[in-house]
Amino acid sequence: MKKLLIGLMVFAVVIGGGLYAVYYFGTEMAADQVVESVTADLEQTGEMDQVKTYIEQDPVLSSYLEEAKAAQHDEDLAFTTRAEATRVMIQKVGIGELQKIQADAESGQLSEQEVIGKLEQSLTEEELKALKVLAYKEIYGE
C-alpha cells in the first residue's frame, strides 16, 4: 500500500512538472509565433505603416505611445518579454476572455477603447505600462 501511495505521488509530481513545462514553454512559443505571424503579415501587405499612422493620429493611443517611449528603459517593468506578458495576460485575463476580446474586436463589436478598458480592469498600472512598452518595441522595432 505504501509503495502504491509513493508511486502515485511520484506520478503526480512528474505530471505536474510536465504540465508546468508545457505551460511555461508553450506560452513562450505561442507568443513568439503570434507576434512573428502578425508582424510578417502586416509588413508583407504594407499595413504596418498604416498601423503606425493610425496609432500616431489617435490621441489616446498616441499618449500611450509617448508613455511607452519614456518608460522603455525603466528597469522596474512588470515584465520585459513577450512570454512573460503572455503568462500574465493568461493568468489575469484568461484565455477564454482574451479569445472573446479578440473575436469581438475583429468583428467590430468592440472599439479599441473598449478593449483597453477591459485590459485596464484586469491588469495593474505596472503591467499595463510594461505591455505598452512591449507593444511599442514590437511596432517600432526598438
Side-chain angles (χ1 to χ4, degrees):
M1 183 69 173
K2 216 178 203 184
K3 288 182 182 181
L4 178 62
L5 187 57
I6 290 172
L8 286 174
M9 286 176 48
V10 169
F11 180 72
V13 169
V14 169
I15 293 297
L19 290 174
Y20 179 76
V22 167
Y23 168 74
Y24 185 82
F25 294 111
T27 55
E28 190 169 335
M29 289 182 352
D32 288 344
Q33 287 177 348
V34 168
V35 171
E36 289 170 10
S37 172
V38 170
T39 303
D41 287 347
L42 290 174
E43 288 174 353
Q44 285 177 354
T45 61
E47 293 178 13
M48 185 60 92
D49 291 332
Q50 292 175 342
V51 169
K52 290 177 184 176
T53 302
Y54 180 79
I55 290 170
E56 291 164 359
Q57 291 178 348
D58 185 284
V60 174
L61 296 178
S62 179
S63 70
Y64 288 163
L65 180 71
E66 292 303 317
E67 183 182 339
K69 193 184 293 186
Q72 71 177 329
H73 299 293
D74 286 358
E75 293 184 17
D76 63 336
L77 293 173
F79 44 81
T80 56
T81 66
R82 293 181 251 187
E84 292 171 329
T86 303
R87 286 197 253 338
V88 168
M89 295 287 286
I90 289 171
Q91 288 174 345
K92 297 279 186 120
V93 182
I95 291 176
E97 183 64 19
L98 286 170
Q99 289 173 332
K100 184 177 182 328
I101 289 170
Q102 179 189 12
D104 289 348
E106 286 178 352
S107 69
Q109 294 176 344
L110 281 178
S111 69
E112 69 262 359
Q113 298 306 328
E114 292 170 319
V115 171
I116 292 168
K118 286 185 175 280
L119 293 178
E120 286 176 340
Q121 290 174 357
S122 300
L123 303 174
T124 66
E125 287 296 319
E126 294 81 22
E127 291 164 343
L128 285 169
K129 182 168 81 169
L131 196 58
K132 291 172 191 175
V133 169
L134 279 176
Y136 173 79
K137 287 179 178 180
E138 291 297 330
I139 292 170
Y140 291 95
E142 293 186 23

